[in-house]
Amino acid sequence: DAGVIQSPRHEVTEMGQEVTLRCKPISGHNSLFWYRQTMMRGLELLIYFNNNVPIDDSGMPEDRFSAKMPNASFSTLKIQPSEPRDSAVYFCASASYEQYFGPGTRLTVT
Amino acid sequence: GENVEQHPSTLSVQEGDSAVIKCTYSDSASNYFPWYKQELGKGPQLIIDIRSNVGEKKDQRIAVTLNKTAKHFSLHITETQPEDSAVYFCAARDTGRRALTFGSGTRLQVQP
Protein backbone atom coordinates (compact mmCIF):
# COMPACT_ATOMS: atom_id res chain seq x y z
CA ASP A 1 0.00 0.00 0.00
CA ALA A 2 1.29 3.48 -0.85
CA GLY A 3 -0.01 4.97 2.37
CA VAL A 4 -1.84 8.28 2.59
CA ILE A 5 -1.01 10.44 -0.42
CA GLN A 6 -1.06 14.23 -0.26
CA SER A 7 -0.51 16.82 -2.94
CA PRO A 8 1.10 19.17 -3.44
CA ARG A 9 3.98 18.62 -1.02
CA HIS A 10 4.86 22.30 -1.06
CA GLU A 11 2.74 25.30 -1.95
CA VAL A 12 3.76 28.93 -2.01
CA THR A 13 1.04 31.44 -2.75
CA GLU A 14 0.25 35.10 -2.32
CA MET A 15 -2.22 36.43 0.20
CA GLY A 16 -5.73 36.44 -1.18
CA GLN A 17 -5.27 33.48 -3.48
CA GLU A 18 -7.25 30.26 -3.27
CA VAL A 19 -5.36 27.18 -2.10
CA THR A 20 -6.54 23.59 -2.54
CA LEU A 21 -4.86 20.71 -0.75
CA ARG A 22 -5.59 17.14 -1.80
CA CYS A 23 -5.59 13.81 -0.02
CA LYS A 24 -6.01 10.18 -1.04
CA PRO A 25 -6.59 7.97 2.02
CA ILE A 26 -5.48 4.37 2.42
CA SER A 27 -7.88 2.06 0.61
CA GLY A 28 -10.41 0.52 2.98
CA HIS A 29 -10.11 3.18 5.65
CA ASN A 30 -13.44 4.77 6.54
CA SER A 31 -12.25 7.80 8.51
CA LEU A 32 -10.27 10.77 7.22
CA PHE A 33 -8.77 13.62 9.20
CA TRP A 34 -7.23 17.00 8.34
CA TYR A 35 -4.67 18.48 10.76
CA ARG A 36 -2.62 21.65 10.83
CA GLN A 37 0.79 21.80 12.50
CA THR A 38 2.62 24.95 13.59
CA MET A 39 5.35 25.60 16.11
CA MET A 40 3.05 27.78 18.20
CA ARG A 41 -0.07 25.62 18.26
CA GLY A 42 1.28 22.12 17.67
CA LEU A 43 -0.91 19.55 15.93
CA GLU A 44 -4.51 20.76 15.58
CA LEU A 45 -7.44 18.73 14.27
CA LEU A 46 -9.35 20.79 11.72
CA ILE A 47 -12.08 18.37 10.59
CA TYR A 48 -12.76 14.70 10.26
CA PHE A 49 -15.01 12.55 8.10
CA ASN A 50 -16.51 9.15 8.75
CA ASN A 51 -17.79 7.26 5.71
CA ASN A 52 -17.36 10.47 3.67
CA VAL A 53 -19.61 12.47 6.03
CA PRO A 54 -18.17 15.40 8.01
CA ILE A 55 -18.49 14.55 11.69
CA ASP A 56 -16.67 17.31 13.53
CA ASP A 57 -15.53 20.57 11.93
CA SER A 58 -15.16 22.52 15.16
CA GLY A 59 -11.45 22.92 14.53
CA MET A 60 -11.87 24.73 11.23
CA PRO A 61 -10.51 28.21 11.95
CA GLU A 62 -13.09 30.24 10.07
CA ASP A 63 -15.29 30.38 7.00
CA ARG A 64 -12.28 30.76 4.75
CA PHE A 65 -11.60 27.06 5.29
CA SER A 66 -13.73 24.33 3.75
CA ALA A 67 -13.27 20.59 3.28
CA LYS A 68 -15.00 18.03 1.12
CA MET A 69 -14.91 14.30 0.68
CA PRO A 70 -16.85 13.47 -2.50
CA ASN A 71 -15.93 9.78 -2.34
CA ALA A 72 -14.03 7.28 -0.23
CA SER A 73 -10.75 7.83 -2.06
CA PHE A 74 -10.43 11.60 -2.22
CA SER A 75 -10.67 14.67 -0.02
CA THR A 76 -9.82 18.35 -0.41
CA LEU A 77 -9.11 21.18 2.00
CA LYS A 78 -9.62 24.60 0.51
CA ILE A 79 -8.59 28.00 1.84
CA GLN A 80 -10.14 31.02 0.16
CA PRO A 81 -8.85 33.68 0.51
CA SER A 82 -5.52 32.63 2.00
CA GLU A 83 -3.71 34.76 4.59
CA PRO A 84 -0.10 34.71 5.88
CA ARG A 85 -1.26 33.25 9.21
CA ASP A 86 -2.44 30.16 7.34
CA SER A 87 1.19 29.24 6.71
CA ALA A 88 1.69 25.79 8.28
CA VAL A 89 2.10 22.13 7.46
CA TYR A 90 -1.23 20.48 6.72
CA PHE A 91 -1.55 16.75 7.28
CA CYS A 92 -4.18 14.33 6.13
CA ALA A 93 -4.62 11.05 8.01
CA SER A 94 -6.87 8.05 7.51
CA ALA A 95 -7.98 5.25 9.81
CA SER A 96 -9.97 2.10 10.12
CA TYR A 97 -8.79 1.72 13.73
CA GLU A 98 -5.14 2.85 13.78
CA GLN A 99 -4.60 6.28 12.27
CA TYR A 100 -1.92 6.82 9.63
CA PHE A 101 -0.63 10.18 8.48
CA GLY A 102 0.37 11.41 5.06
CA PRO A 103 3.65 13.27 4.40
CA GLY A 104 2.00 16.68 4.68
CA THR A 105 1.74 19.81 2.55
CA ARG A 106 3.91 22.74 3.58
CA LEU A 107 1.93 25.89 2.81
CA THR A 108 3.56 29.30 2.71
CA VAL A 109 1.35 32.35 2.17
CA THR A 110 3.29 35.53 1.43
CA GLY B 1 -13.54 17.00 26.05
CA GLU B 2 -10.33 15.03 26.36
CA ASN B 3 -7.12 16.77 27.41
CA VAL B 4 -3.72 15.12 27.08
CA GLU B 5 -0.63 16.49 28.78
CA GLN B 6 2.85 15.31 27.83
CA HIS B 7 6.18 15.64 29.63
CA PRO B 8 8.97 16.47 29.20
CA SER B 9 8.90 18.82 26.23
CA THR B 10 12.56 18.09 25.50
CA LEU B 11 14.75 15.15 26.49
CA SER B 12 18.42 14.59 25.82
CA VAL B 13 20.05 11.23 26.51
CA GLN B 14 23.32 9.52 25.72
CA GLU B 15 23.33 6.76 23.15
CA GLY B 16 22.57 3.47 24.86
CA ASP B 17 20.62 5.02 27.72
CA SER B 18 16.87 4.67 28.22
CA ALA B 19 14.31 7.39 27.56
CA VAL B 20 10.89 7.73 29.17
CA ILE B 21 8.09 10.05 28.05
CA LYS B 22 4.96 10.43 30.13
CA CYS B 23 1.40 11.47 29.31
CA THR B 24 -1.74 11.99 31.36
CA TYR B 25 -5.30 12.11 30.08
CA SER B 26 -8.47 13.51 31.54
CA ASP B 27 -11.34 11.45 30.09
CA SER B 28 -11.80 8.13 31.86
CA ALA B 29 -13.74 6.89 28.81
CA SER B 30 -10.56 6.94 26.68
CA ASN B 31 -9.57 3.43 25.71
CA TYR B 32 -6.95 3.69 22.97
CA PHE B 33 -3.49 5.26 23.36
CA PRO B 34 -1.12 5.44 20.36
CA TRP B 35 2.37 6.91 20.16
CA TYR B 36 3.76 8.64 17.09
CA LYS B 37 7.30 9.50 16.03
CA GLN B 38 7.81 12.50 13.77
CA GLU B 39 11.10 13.04 11.99
CA LEU B 40 12.00 16.36 10.43
CA GLY B 41 10.01 17.06 7.29
CA LYS B 42 7.83 13.97 7.64
CA GLY B 43 4.38 13.11 8.90
CA PRO B 44 3.85 11.48 12.32
CA GLN B 45 4.47 7.73 12.16
CA LEU B 46 2.58 5.29 14.39
CA ILE B 47 5.18 3.33 16.37
CA ILE B 48 3.17 1.55 19.07
CA ASP B 49 -0.26 1.65 20.64
CA ILE B 50 -2.05 0.19 23.62
CA ARG B 51 -5.70 -0.47 24.40
CA SER B 52 -7.27 -0.07 27.80
CA ASN B 53 -7.61 -3.79 28.46
CA VAL B 54 -3.82 -4.17 28.51
CA GLY B 55 -1.33 -2.75 31.02
CA GLU B 56 1.85 -3.06 29.00
CA LYS B 57 2.93 -3.71 25.44
CA LYS B 58 6.42 -4.19 24.07
CA ASP B 59 7.91 -4.13 20.58
CA GLN B 60 11.66 -4.67 20.48
CA ARG B 61 13.27 -1.61 22.11
CA ILE B 62 10.05 0.30 22.73
CA ALA B 63 7.36 -0.36 25.30
CA VAL B 64 4.25 1.42 26.49
CA THR B 65 2.65 1.14 29.91
CA LEU B 66 -0.85 2.21 30.92
CA ASN B 67 -2.23 2.97 34.36
CA LYS B 68 -5.98 3.43 33.96
CA THR B 69 -6.56 4.27 37.62
CA ALA B 70 -4.10 7.15 37.52
CA LYS B 71 -4.97 7.98 33.89
CA HIS B 72 -1.43 8.04 32.67
CA PHE B 73 0.62 6.17 30.11
CA SER B 74 4.30 6.18 29.24
CA LEU B 75 6.64 5.37 26.37
CA HIS B 76 9.91 3.64 27.19
CA ILE B 77 12.77 3.41 24.71
CA THR B 78 15.73 1.26 25.73
CA GLU B 79 19.23 1.20 24.26
CA THR B 80 18.61 4.47 22.46
CA GLN B 81 20.30 5.11 19.13
CA PRO B 82 20.90 8.38 17.24
CA GLU B 83 18.13 7.43 14.78
CA ASP B 84 15.65 7.55 17.68
CA SER B 85 16.09 11.34 17.68
CA ALA B 86 12.73 12.84 16.71
CA VAL B 87 9.60 14.41 18.17
CA TYR B 88 7.30 11.92 19.89
CA PHE B 89 3.57 12.48 20.39
CA CYS B 90 1.17 10.61 22.63
CA ALA B 91 -2.56 10.57 21.94
CA ALA B 92 -5.81 9.30 23.41
CA ARG B 93 -9.21 8.37 22.01
CA ASP B 94 -12.50 7.35 23.58
CA THR B 95 -15.04 4.90 22.26
CA GLY B 96 -17.50 7.54 21.12
CA ARG B 97 -15.12 9.55 18.98
CA ARG B 98 -12.98 8.65 16.01
CA ALA B 99 -10.53 11.53 16.41
CA LEU B 100 -7.40 11.43 18.55
CA THR B 101 -6.44 14.08 21.09
CA PHE B 102 -2.69 14.67 20.93
CA GLY B 103 -0.15 15.71 23.53
CA SER B 104 2.13 18.65 22.81
CA GLY B 105 5.11 16.51 21.85
CA THR B 106 8.56 15.63 23.24
CA ARG B 107 11.71 16.41 21.32
CA LEU B 108 14.12 13.54 21.99
CA GLN B 109 17.78 13.99 21.18
CA VAL B 110 20.12 11.02 21.44
CA GLN B 111 23.73 12.11 21.75
CA PRO B 112 26.21 9.75 20.08
Side-chain angles (χ1 to χ4, degrees), chain B residues 33 35 48-68 72-78:
Chain B
F33 307 92
W35 286 87
I48 194 168
D49 57 13
I50 190 167
R51 304 187 188 191
S52 60
N53 58 346
V54 175
E56 183 174 359
K57 184 177 178 181
K58 193 172 183 180
D59 183 4
Q60 299 183 355
R61 295 187 298 107
I62 60 173
V64 58
T65 59
L66 171 65
N67 183 327
K68 287 177 57 180
H72 67 71
F73 56 113
S74 301
L75 178 71
H76 305 252
I77 307 174
T78 58

Coordinates of all heavy atoms in Angstrom, one line a residue, chain B residues 33 35 48-68 72-78:
Chain B
F33 N -4.6 4.3 23.1 CA -3.5 5.3 23.4 C -2.3 5.0 22.4 O -1.5 4.1 22.7 CB -3.0 5.1 24.8 CG -4.2 5.3 25.8 CD1 -4.9 4.2 26.2 CD2 -4.6 6.6 26.2 CE1 -6.0 4.3 27.1 CE2 -5.7 6.7 27.1 CZ -6.4 5.6 27.5
W35 N 1.2 6.0 20.1 CA 2.4 6.9 20.2 C 2.9 7.1 18.7 O 2.9 6.1 18.0 CB 3.5 6.3 21.0 CG 3.2 6.4 22.5 CD1 2.5 5.5 23.2 CD2 3.6 7.4 23.4 NE1 2.5 5.9 24.6 CE2 3.2 7.1 24.7 CE3 4.4 8.6 23.2 CZ2 3.4 7.9 25.8 CZ3 4.6 9.4 24.3 CH2 4.1 9.0 25.6
I48 N 3.7 2.5 18.2 CA 3.2 1.6 19.1 C 1.9 2.1 19.6 O 1.7 3.3 19.7 CB 4.2 1.2 20.2 CG1 3.8 -0.1 21.0 CG2 4.4 2.4 21.2 CD1 4.9 -0.6 21.9
D49 N 1.0 1.2 20.0 CA -0.3 1.6 20.6 C -0.7 0.6 21.7 O -0.2 -0.5 21.7 CB -1.4 1.9 19.6 CG -1.7 0.6 18.8 OD1 -1.2 -0.5 19.1 OD2 -2.4 0.8 17.7
I50 N -1.6 1.1 22.6 CA -2.1 0.2 23.6 C -3.5 0.4 23.8 O -4.0 1.6 23.7 CB -1.2 0.4 24.9 CG1 -1.6 -0.7 25.9 CG2 -1.4 1.8 25.5 CD1 -0.6 -0.8 27.1
R51 N -4.3 -0.6 24.1 CA -5.7 -0.5 24.4 C -5.9 -0.7 25.9 O -5.1 -1.2 26.6 CB -6.5 -1.5 23.6 CG -6.2 -1.3 22.1 CD -7.0 -2.1 21.2 NE -6.5 -2.0 19.8 CZ -7.1 -2.5 18.7 NH1 -8.3 -3.0 18.9 NH2 -6.6 -2.4 17.5
S52 N -7.1 -0.2 26.4 CA -7.3 -0.1 27.8 C -7.4 -1.4 28.5 O -7.3 -1.4 29.7 CB -8.5 0.8 28.1 OG -9.6 0.2 27.5
N53 N -7.5 -2.5 27.8 CA -7.6 -3.8 28.5 C -6.2 -4.4 28.7 O -6.1 -5.6 29.2 CB -8.5 -4.7 27.6 CG -8.0 -5.0 26.2 OD1 -7.1 -4.2 25.8 ND2 -8.5 -6.0 25.6
V54 N -5.2 -3.7 28.4 CA -3.8 -4.2 28.5 C -3.0 -3.2 29.3 O -3.2 -2.0 29.2 CB -3.2 -4.3 27.1 CG1 -1.7 -4.7 27.2 CG2 -4.0 -5.4 26.3
G55 N -2.1 -3.7 30.2 CA -1.3 -2.8 31.0 C 0.0 -2.4 30.4 O 0.6 -1.4 30.8
E56 N 0.5 -3.3 29.6 CA 1.9 -3.1 29.0 C 1.9 -3.8 27.7 O 1.3 -4.8 27.4 CB 2.9 -3.6 29.9 CG 4.4 -3.3 29.5 CD 5.4 -3.8 30.5 OE1 5.0 -4.2 31.6 OE2 6.6 -3.6 30.2
K57 N 2.7 -3.1 26.7 CA 2.9 -3.7 25.4 C 4.4 -3.4 25.0 O 4.8 -2.3 25.3 CB 1.9 -3.1 24.4 CG 2.0 -3.8 23.0 CD 0.9 -3.2 22.2 CE 1.0 -3.7 20.8 NZ -0.1 -3.1 19.9
K58 N 5.0 -4.4 24.4 CA 6.4 -4.2 24.1 C 6.6 -4.6 22.6 O 6.0 -5.5 22.1 CB 7.3 -5.0 25.0 CG 8.8 -4.7 25.0 CD 9.5 -5.5 26.0 CE 11.0 -5.1 26.0 NZ 11.7 -5.8 27.1
D59 N 7.5 -3.8 22.0 CA 7.9 -4.1 20.6 C 9.4 -3.8 20.4 O 9.8 -2.7 20.3 CB 7.1 -3.3 19.6 CG 7.4 -3.7 18.1 OD1 8.2 -4.6 17.9 OD2 6.8 -3.0 17.2
Q60 N 10.2 -4.8 20.6 CA 11.7 -4.7 20.5 C 12.1 -3.7 21.5 O 12.0 -3.9 22.7 CB 12.1 -4.3 19.1 CG 11.7 -5.3 18.0 CD 12.1 -5.0 16.6 OE1 12.7 -4.0 16.3 NE2 11.9 -5.9 15.7
R61 N 12.7 -2.5 21.1 CA 13.3 -1.6 22.1 C 12.3 -0.6 22.7 O 12.6 0.2 23.5 CB 14.4 -0.8 21.5 CG 15.6 -1.7 21.1 CD 16.8 -0.8 20.6 NE 16.4 0.0 19.4 CZ 16.2 1.3 19.4 NH1 16.3 2.0 20.5 NH2 15.9 1.9 18.3
I62 N 11.0 -0.6 22.2 CA 10.0 0.3 22.7 C 8.9 -0.4 23.5 O 8.6 -1.6 23.1 CB 9.4 1.2 21.6 CG1 8.7 0.3 20.5 CG2 10.5 2.0 21.0 CD1 8.0 1.2 19.5
A63 N 8.4 0.2 24.5 CA 7.4 -0.4 25.3 C 6.4 0.8 25.8 O 6.9 1.9 25.9 CB 7.9 -1.1 26.5
V64 N 5.2 0.4 26.0 CA 4.2 1.4 26.5 C 3.6 0.8 27.7 O 3.2 -0.4 27.7 CB 3.2 1.9 25.4 CG1 2.5 0.7 24.8 CG2 2.3 2.9 25.9
T65 N 3.4 1.6 28.7 CA 2.7 1.1 29.9 C 1.4 2.0 30.1 O 1.5 3.2 29.8 CB 3.5 1.2 31.2 OG1 4.0 2.5 31.4 CG2 4.7 0.2 31.0
L66 N 0.4 1.5 30.7 CA -0.9 2.2 30.9 C -1.3 2.0 32.3 O -1.4 0.8 32.8 CB -1.9 1.7 29.9 CG -3.3 2.3 30.1 CD1 -3.4 3.8 30.0 CD2 -4.3 1.6 29.2
N67 N -1.6 3.0 33.0 CA -2.2 3.0 34.4 C -3.6 3.7 34.3 O -3.7 4.9 34.3 CB -1.3 3.7 35.4 CG -1.9 3.5 36.8 OD1 -3.1 3.5 37.0 ND2 -1.0 3.5 37.8
K68 N -4.7 2.9 34.1 CA -6.0 3.4 34.0 C -6.5 4.2 35.2 O -7.2 5.1 35.1 CB -7.0 2.3 33.6 CG -6.8 1.8 32.2 CD -7.8 0.7 31.9 CE -9.2 1.1 32.1 NZ -10.1 -0.1 31.9
H72 N -2.7 7.7 33.3 CA -1.4 8.0 32.7 C -0.8 6.9 31.9 O -1.1 5.7 32.3 CB -0.4 8.8 33.6 CG 0.1 7.9 34.7 ND1 1.1 6.9 34.5 CD2 0.0 8.0 36.0 CE1 1.4 6.4 35.6 NE2 0.8 7.0 36.6
F73 N -0.1 7.2 30.9 CA 0.6 6.2 30.1 C 2.0 6.7 29.7 O 2.2 7.9 29.7 CB -0.2 5.7 28.9 CG -0.7 6.9 28.0 CD1 -0.2 6.9 26.7 CD2 -1.6 7.8 28.4 CE1 -0.6 7.9 25.8 CE2 -2.0 8.8 27.5 CZ -1.5 8.8 26.2
S74 N 2.9 5.8 29.5 CA 4.3 6.2 29.2 C 4.9 5.4 28.1 O 4.5 4.2 27.8 CB 5.1 5.9 30.5 OG 4.6 6.7 31.6
L75 N 5.9 6.0 27.4 CA 6.6 5.4 26.4 C 8.1 5.2 26.9 O 8.7 6.1 27.4 CB 6.7 6.2 25.1 CG 7.5 5.7 23.9 CD1 6.8 4.5 23.3 CD2 7.7 6.8 22.9
H76 N 8.6 4.0 26.7 CA 9.9 3.6 27.2 C 10.7 3.2 26.0 O 10.3 2.3 25.3 CB 9.9 2.5 28.2 CG 9.0 2.8 29.4 ND1 9.5 3.1 30.7 CD2 7.6 2.8 29.5 CE1 8.5 3.3 31.5 NE2 7.4 3.1 30.8
I77 N 11.9 3.8 25.8 CA 12.8 3.4 24.7 C 14.1 3.0 25.4 O 14.7 3.8 26.1 CB 13.0 4.5 23.7 CG1 11.7 5.1 23.2 CG2 13.9 4.0 22.6 CD1 11.9 6.3 22.3
T78 N 14.5 1.7 25.2 CA 15.7 1.3 25.7 C 16.8 1.2 24.7 O 16.5 1.3 23.5 CB 15.6 -0.2 26.3 OG1 15.1 -1.0 25.2 CG2 14.5 -0.2 27.4

